Amino acid sequence: MNPGMNSPDPQRLRGGTLYFDCASGIAGDMTVGALVDLGVPEAVIREALEALPLRGYRVEFARVMRGGLAGTKFRVHIDAAAEHALEAAPAHAHAGHEHQDHHEHEGHAHHGAAHPDHDPHGPGASAAHHHGYGVGGHAEDSGHRHTHYGAIRQMLLAAPLGAGVRARALAMFDRLAEVEARLHGVSVEEVAFHEVGAVDSIVDVVGAAAALDWLRPARVVARRVPLGRGFIQTAHGRLPVPAPATLELLRGVPVEEGGIDGELTTPTGAAVLAATVGQYGSLPPLTVAGVGWGAGDRDLPGRPNLLRVVAGAPEVQDAGEAGGYLVIEANIDDMQPELLPPLLEALLAAGARDAWFVPVLMKKGRPGYVVAAVVEEAQRQAVEQALLTESTTIGLRRHAVARTMLPRHIIEVDTEFGRIPIKVAGEAERWLNAAPEFEACRRIAAERGVPLKRVYAAATAAFWRQQVIE
């Protein structure tokens, strides 16, 4: 039974909107706790973890209080022998050994001395730094066993996970490893975890992926992300907060300091956001179906150390109501064709979800265009201003529209030309559409000196071949 206070109808939770209200930051364990508290069955997490070839640990969901509010705490207890789990575990080893509170919290600060392999903010504080995630062979890492990310990735590919769980876990881990590789100047495969940290991180990432795949939201939104401030002790020495990997993962994302000494958002939490969230802003209009609270390790001054996740169905709204979708359009017959592409770019930059031109024959037989853009109400004024500023029209019209959307995900595939992201739509058991990211294909084609059509075709074939194998 979930430790949450309510048991909402699962069908109301699934396939709608998720809102990550990370006012106190976000970490991997907080994410798993919040989603289970929301209503994801604990069995979903446990079954995904049992599919992994790991041993020497057990997981626990506990009801705790933070700042006067109750939430779910996700803990991973790791046995000392888990240092060899990734090498020695049989193909289907199940979790089951206990270690006293090795993984109490991922991501918030307290003052005190650090264990060489642990973060002073609490064990589990960062997949990338506080468990010694970094480049194997550093002097400070001598004497500790490491597992390189290449081995972890192969384990996730080989494990009998659901296709959606695997895709989400790889999307999180790949982003984390690519950022660390860039920061440390090595290949992705050379990025290494201390053995204990690897187990801890895999459990958090796969647990979060399993919960999200069970919910399969059509849309994920998050608030501005607080990062924290100060310094943390890591496997690479004393580093400023936010950790370098956290900032890299949140490029293009609205962030803030958060007014708290210590790390509020960890690299693992940032990886969850980077791989999952499609939009940042305030809570969108929806009918609330459930609320989950995921607890951090200890109390924070002035706020509850909790991640809140809200699930609900988006409301269908009329034009002019906040959050509704609109089509804004205008007829143009007196504009130089060379100015049309910059107009389209300006509409998209102003926040349009999509924009296009349609050639038409206007009054007096003059050729012209209808320029149109789909926008949310929140971006309406900015898009209208862009249309009036960048075009020759002196007026425009708008009307409300409703949208039906397939769930969308990004899945990366390995090809002879390198790893390429694929945008897929539908559900893991029945993908309906799949298209390689065009700009990624174009960049790789230019780097390799091969025709773009070959890279695009190779990525498409690799994706569908992978589905057949699975």
Side-chain angles (χ1 to χ4, degrees), residues 32 42 45-46 49 57-62 73-78 95-98 200 203-204:
V32 177
E42 289 180 19
I45 313 300
R46 296 183 185 277
L49 296 177
Y57 77 96
R58 71 176 178 87
V59 298
E60 173 193 9
F61 297 91
K73 184 76 188 77
F74 177 61
R75 292 191 178 97
V76 183
H77 304 279
I78 299 182
H97 300 290
E98 177 177 352
D200 220 13
V203 170
D204 280 353

Side-chain angles (χ1 to χ4, degrees), residues 186-208:
V186 299
S187 70
V188 170
E189 288 72 21
E190 290 178 290
V191 173
F193 289 83
H194 290 312
E195 288 284 1
V196 171
V199 174
D200 220 13
S201 305
I202 293 166
V203 170
D204 280 353
V205 168
V206 172

Side-chain angles (χ1 to χ4, degrees), residues 412-434:
E412 293 187 335
V413 298
D414 290 315
T415 75
E416 61 186 294
F417 305 110
R419 193 174 299 168
I420 299 175
I422 309 287
K423 183 183 293 182
V424 297
E427 301 293 354
E429 292 80 5
R430 187 168 175 261
W431 298 122
L432 298 179
N433 294 294

Side-chain angles (χ1 to χ4, degrees), residues 112-460:
H115 185 283
D117 281 342
H118 300 265
D119 172 61
H121 312 293
S126 165
H129 294 284
H130 314 320
H131 287 311
Y133 181 54
V135 183
H138 279 254
E140 68 268 25
D141 293 342
S142 60
H144 297 289
R145 300 175 63 89
H146 292 81
T147 295
H148 291 88
Y149 178 57
I152 295 174
R153 193 170 197 277
Q154 288 305 311
M155 181 197 71
L156 294 174
L157 288 171
L161 294 164
V165 178
R166 180 185 297 109
R168 291 177 186 275
L170 286 172
M172 297 174 199
F173 254 132
D174 284 351
R175 283 168 169 79
L176 192 56
E178 286 167 3
V179 161
E180 287 288 345
R182 187 165 65 250
L183 286 170
H184 298 295
V186 299
S187 70
V188 170
E189 288 72 21
E190 290 178 290
V191 173
F193 289 83
H194 290 312
E195 288 284 1
V196 171
V199 174
D200 220 13
S201 305
I202 293 166
V203 170
D204 280 353
V205 168
V206 172
L212 287 164
D213 189 63
W214 185 86
L215 289 165
R216 293 186 183 173
R219 180 189 186 197
V220 183
V221 185
R223 79 180 294 279
R224 182 181 297 273
V225 184
L227 303 179
R229 65 192 179 199
F231 291 87
I232 49 175
Q233 191 66 35
T234 78
H236 303 293
R238 186 172 168 84
L239 292 178
V241 173
T246 299
L247 276 182
E248 289 292 327
L249 285 161
L250 296 179
R251 280 181 179 266
V253 173
V255 299
E256 62 187 17
E257 182 189 79
I260 295 288
D261 289 328
E263 186 177 47
L264 296 179
T265 294
T266 69
T268 306
V272 171
L273 296 177
T276 306
V277 176
Q279 179 184 351
Y280 290 85
S282 57
L283 178 69
L286 51 78
T287 300
V288 176
V291 180
W293 299 85
D297 182 39
R298 54 195 89 248
D299 288 326
L300 296 176
R303 72 183 71 174
N305 189 4
L306 294 164
L307 166 67
R308 178 167 61 177
V309 178
V310 182
E315 294 183 356
V316 178
Q317 297 174 309
D318 296 328
E321 293 186 15
Y325 286 100
L326 307 166
V327 169
I328 298 171
E329 59 185 22
N331 293 2
I332 299 174
D333 65 358
D334 59 349
M335 190 167 170
Q336 291 178 266
E338 294 87 350
L339 299 177
L340 294 176
L343 169 59
L344 202 65
E345 294 172 4
L347 295 174
L348 295 172
R353 289 299 186 93
D354 199 0
W356 60 91
F357 297 110
V358 178
V360 294
L361 197 63
M362 298 178 60
K363 61 185 179 181
K364 299 181 181 180
R366 291 197 297 257
Y369 299 90
V370 175
V371 54
V374 175
V375 302
E376 291 184 80
E377 172 60 32
Q379 282 74 45
R380 177 180 64 82
Q381 289 186 343
V383 173
E384 287 184 348
Q385 185 62 39
L387 179 54
L388 293 170
T389 301
E390 298 295 334
S391 77
T392 57
T393 189
I394 59 174
L396 51 82
R397 55 191 176 272
R398 60 178 178 266
H399 57 271
V401 295
R403 302 202 309 171
T404 299
M405 298 177 60
L406 291 170
R408 291 171 289 180
H409 312 280
I410 297 293
I411 294 178
E412 293 187 335
V413 298
D414 290 315
T415 75
E416 61 186 294
F417 305 110
R419 193 174 299 168
I420 299 175
I422 309 287
K423 183 183 293 182
V424 297
E427 301 293 354
E429 292 80 5
R430 187 168 175 261
W431 298 122
L432 298 179
N433 294 294
E437 288 285 6
F438 183 79
E439 292 302 326
C441 291
R442 182 161 66 177
R443 174 180 54 78
I444 291 173
E447 291 174 352
R448 297 298 186 92
V450 297
L452 172 58
K453 62 184 180 182
R454 280 191 58 194
V455 177
Y456 194 92
T460 303

